[in-house]
Amino acid sequence: ATWANLGLQDSSSPLMEQLNFFHDHTLLILTMITILVSYIMGMLMFNKFTNRYLLHGQTIEIIWTVLPAIILMFIAFPSLRLLYLMDEINTPSITLKSVGHQWYWSYEYSDFLNLEFDSYMVPTNELETNGFRLLDVDNRVVLPMNNQIRILVTATDVLHSWTVPSLGVKVDATPGRLNQLNFLINRPGLFFGQCSEICGANHSFM
């Protein structure tokens, strides 16, 4: 993410790359529709088309019913494909369990014995010069690149949401329920995310 960035973050996983493409694809269709409708409305305002004998227009009515349906299919099929891809679990190499608390996350590497830790946001007054305000934590999660990673997300108190935008990952953390998601990191880096479900007074600080 960069300052004043209006678009989506650069993708760091194949899934987010596809989501980026889908976003651009849909935006292009919306732009075309907006231009067409604006043009027709302008024509209606500035021209006076009169036809005394026009009682019905069967052909145009068929066109303006069928065409939007076809356009919607061009949005629906890629969207459904992505929805199913996001739910796919491909034999993960490593499993990370993330538990939401008010107002910090605790992590467990389920494949190893007794490897768990809490991750708190670093307060602004304790932040180093090169730190990221409201994003940096005291204990970072380290995950391998080019490996299928499964994340299990739950919470102990209220609803939270574990989110990393550049990986295209967003999972609700619900008390008493275990949600599962699969992702792959295809380039090295430091990726940040914030809780995306309002969870109380310090929601902005986890």
Side-chain angles (χ1 to χ4, degrees):
T2 52
W3 293 114
N5 183 18
L6 295 175
L8 297 164
Q9 292 183 17
D10 288 347
S11 64
S12 304
S13 75
L15 197 62
M16 187 57 194
E17 196 174 325
Q18 289 297 312
L19 286 166
N20 262 327
F21 289 147
F22 176 65
H23 169 267
D24 295 345
H25 165 78
T26 313
L27 207 61
L28 196 68
I29 291 172
L30 286 174
T31 309
M32 281 156 52
I33 292 169
T34 310
I35 290 167
L36 179 69
V37 172
S38 306
Y39 171 73
I40 291 168
M41 286 175 73
M43 292 284 281
L44 284 170
M45 282 181 201
F46 299 113
N47 293 307
K48 288 187 169 56
F49 295 125
T50 48
N51 183 347
R52 289 168 60 202
Y53 304 106
L54 184 66
L55 297 173
H56 62 85
Q58 203 72 45
T59 319
I60 191 72
E61 283 183 17
I62 290 169
I63 291 168
W64 74 39
T65 306
V66 172
L67 202 65
I70 293 167
I71 291 168
L72 283 175
M73 282 162 67
F74 272 97
I75 297 173
F77 288 134
S79 171
L80 285 168
R81 173 181 156 269
L82 270 173
L83 270 174
Y84 280 103
L85 272 176
M86 288 169 84
D87 270 345
E88 199 72 43
I89 300 292
N90 312 306
T91 53
S93 313
I94 188 169
T95 300
L96 174 72
K97 186 179 179 188
S98 172
V99 184
H101 307 268
Q102 283 180 311
W103 287 274
Y104 64 95
W105 294 99
S106 56
Y107 295 99
E108 299 168 22
Y109 286 87
S110 313
D111 306 294
F112 308 99
L113 291 171
N114 303 324
L115 185 48
E116 48 187 79
F117 58 89
D118 295 337
S119 181
Y120 290 87
M121 196 198 77
V122 179
T124 308
N125 57 345
E126 293 175 24
L127 204 61
E128 291 179 21
T129 324
N130 59 350
F132 291 88
R133 185 177 160 272
L134 300 186
L135 288 174
D136 246 325
V137 289
D138 54 0
N139 290 314
R140 289 174 178 164
V141 172
V142 180
L143 290 169
M145 200 179 95
N146 291 329
N147 277 285
Q148 291 292 342
I149 298 156
R150 170 173 58 194
I151 180 158
L152 303 172
V153 183
T154 186
T156 53
D157 35 48
V158 295
L159 290 176
H160 299 280
S161 186
W162 196 87
T163 312
V164 183
S166 58
L167 298 177
V169 175
K170 185 172 190 174
V171 202
D172 277 355
T174 314
R177 184 187 173 97
L178 210 57
N179 286 328
Q180 172 176 262
L181 204 78
N182 192 66
F183 62 92
L184 180 139
I185 304 168
N186 63 1
R187 61 174 181 174
L190 185 57
F191 309 118
F192 292 111
Q194 293 166 300
C195 178
S196 298
E197 189 73 62
I198 293 172
C199 58
N202 289 342
H203 163 65
S204 317
F205 307 100
M206 65 177 287

